[in-house]
Amino acid sequence: MHQLHERGRSITTAESCTGGGVAAAITDIPGSSRCFAAAFVTYSNRAKADILGVPKAVLKAEGAVSAAVVEAMALGALERARADMAISLSGIAGPGGGSAERPVGTVWMAWCIRDDAGEVSTHSERCHFDGDRTEVRSASVQYALAQALSYLTVESAGKDTV
């Protein structure tokens, strides 16, 4: 959060399977109010569509636990919160709900970053975490934040070399 604050940038989250866990972890940091814009917990497909603007056709074709959906969630959160970075997650924390294609522990994440010129880049990744519901959710939060920090570090380094 320090990097965001120093650059006058803000962050938002769009969460499903973590139920606001990423937002909670961010707001646990003293001073996070200087860079935390908003949190969207969109657990249902309807909320993903109505609140974040995820196209219903994408939800139907790809399923909520997919690259296309988390990328749309992140972009929707970025735009609605008028933030500079968004983290989104959608997954199957268990104990039920998994399938052969998407077993319990499957979590898709996306990170949208708006650069100083206003251009937006999006990165998404499919992860799999072992453990019970609490462990899958906790690992998802930790990984999402670690990757966000990594992307911020790369972006900051790129700005320093230009």
Side-chain angles (χ1 to χ4, degrees), residues 102-147:
R102 293 180 180 105
V104 170
T106 302
V107 180
W108 271 97
M109 302 180 194
W111 302 264
C112 276
I113 304 161
R114 186 185 324 272
D115 68 17
D116 294 334
E119 297 294 320
V120 175
S121 61
T122 303
H123 312 274
S124 60
E125 184 175 344
R126 179 183 173 157
C127 300
H128 185 271
F129 301 105
D130 292 322
D132 64 19
R133 183 177 182 80
T134 300
E135 293 166 326
V136 168
R137 289 167 50 124
S138 177
S140 297
V141 168
Q142 291 174 23
Y143 188 80
L145 289 169
Q147 285 300 99

Side-chain angles (χ1 to χ4, degrees), residues 140-155:
S140 297
V141 168
Q142 291 174 23
Y143 188 80
L145 289 169
Q147 285 300 99
L149 181 59
S150 172
Y151 288 125
L152 286 171
T153 302
V154 167
E155 184 192 17

Side-chain angles (χ1 to χ4, degrees), residues 60-121:
K60 185 175 181 178
E62 302 293 329
V65 183
S66 65
V69 168
V70 294
E71 289 172 8
M73 288 171 65
L75 187 57
L78 192 78
E79 292 172 352
R80 283 154 180 78
R82 297 185 182 127
D84 301 299
M85 181 177 210
I87 302 170
S88 67
L89 304 92
S90 186
I92 304 162
S99 66
E101 185 178 289
R102 293 180 180 105
V104 170
T106 302
V107 180
W108 271 97
M109 302 180 194
W111 302 264
C112 276
I113 304 161
R114 186 185 324 272
D115 68 17
D116 294 334
E119 297 294 320
V120 175
S121 61

Side-chain angles (χ1 to χ4, degrees), residues 1 5 9 11 23-37:
M1 295 309 100
H5 173 65
R9 312 283 300 278
I11 189 167
I26 292 170
T27 58
D28 277 348
I29 300 167
S32 60
S33 61
R34 293 178 291 201
C35 62
F36 188 72

